[in-house]
């Protein structure tokens, strides 16, 4: 498998920046029937134009795909045509949903964003533990003033 095929869907989507323009050559395909294989995916999109790469996204350790794929064309205009012509087209009983992907943020930015998210998650996990530890501490007895 290529490096690109090993990437999981969550990493690909999480790394897409809201402010970036779309990737002119790559389309994101959703709602793919589970009986569609790599060859059928490539054949379907090759009818539009030459495909540089196409891969079905799978979960780690599983062979069954998640019903989504990325297809990269050699020519940007072919990606536009694929969105126009194949969006809503039925493939093995399911209507495909196709859109342009957004450009990925630079690697350094993606790593920084992931580190920040991991830090936030760790902080959220630590807060309840600290509150529970504080609740377990014995409180000093109140002193009563004589009336």
């Amino acid at each position: 498998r290529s490096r690109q095929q090993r990437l999981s869907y969550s990493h690909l989507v999480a790394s897409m920046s809201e402010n970036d323009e779309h990737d002119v050559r790559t389309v994101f395909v959703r709602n793919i029937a589970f009986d569609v294989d790599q060859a059928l995916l490539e054949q379907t999109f090759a009818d539009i134009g030459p495909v540089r790469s196409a891969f079905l996204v799978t979960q780690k350790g599983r062979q069954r795909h998640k019903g989504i794929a990325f297809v990269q064309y050699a020519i940007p205009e072919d990606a536009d045509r694929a969105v126009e012509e194949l969006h809503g087209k039925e493939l093995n009983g399911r209507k495909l949903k196709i859109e342009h992907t957004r450009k990925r943020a630079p690697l350094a930015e993606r790593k920084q964003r992931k580190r920040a998210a991991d830090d936030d998650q760790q902080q959220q996990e630590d807060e309840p533990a600290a509150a529970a530890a504080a609740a377990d501490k014995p409180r000093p007895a109140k002193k009563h003033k004589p009336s």
Side-chain angles (χ1 to χ4, degrees), residues 28 30 45 81-90 95-99:
F28 176 61
R30 295 181 289 143
F45 284 85
R81 278 193 33 224
V83 171
E84 292 171 13
E85 294 179 21
L86 297 178
H87 182 77
K89 179 183 175 188
E90 198 167 293
K95 288 186 178 182
L96 298 176
K97 297 178 182 178
I98 303 171
E99 58 194 54

Side-chain angles (χ1 to χ4, degrees), residues 15-17 20 102-110 113:
S15 66
M16 293 177 189
S17 173
D20 289 345
R102 294 187 203 117
K103 289 184 181 178
R104 293 180 73 182
L107 180 62
E109 183 181 329
R110 294 193 317 261
R113 215 179 303 146

Side-chain angles (χ1 to χ4, degrees), residues 7-125:
L7 294 174
S8 71
Y9 166 70
S10 59
H11 287 105
L12 289 169
V13 172
S15 66
M16 293 177 189
S17 173
E18 294 297 326
N19 299 329
D20 289 345
E21 295 178 24
H22 70 274
D23 185 348
V24 295
R25 289 192 168 109
T26 306
V27 294
F28 176 61
V29 186
R30 295 181 289 143
N31 203 34
I32 300 171
F34 292 108
D35 59 345
V36 171
D37 62 3
Q38 187 77 26
L40 181 56
L41 176 73
E42 289 178 14
Q43 179 185 7
T44 301
F45 284 85
D47 290 344
I48 298 293
V51 173
R52 181 181 251 172
S53 70
F55 70 95
L56 291 161
V57 178
T58 59
Q59 289 179 325
K60 285 185 179 180
R62 298 221 172 157
Q63 296 206 359
R64 185 173 141 180
H65 65 81
K66 296 172 76 172
I68 57 176
F70 289 89
V71 179
Q72 185 180 41
Y73 283 96
I75 303 168
E77 291 79 17
D78 290 341
D80 292 335
R81 278 193 33 224
V83 171
E84 292 171 13
E85 294 179 21
L86 297 178
H87 182 77
K89 179 183 175 188
E90 198 167 293
L91 180 65
N92 286 17
R94 295 180 91 174
K95 288 186 178 182
L96 298 176
K97 297 178 182 178
I98 303 171
E99 58 194 54
H100 285 283
T101 58
R102 294 187 203 117
K103 289 184 181 178
R104 293 180 73 182
L107 180 62
E109 183 181 329
R110 294 193 317 261
K111 283 184 176 183
Q112 182 180 8
R113 215 179 303 146
K114 182 174 180 351
R115 240 181 273 122
D118 290 347
D119 290 347
D120 288 346
Q121 183 179 1
Q122 185 63 41
Q123 201 172 36
Q124 288 175 357
E125 290 172 1

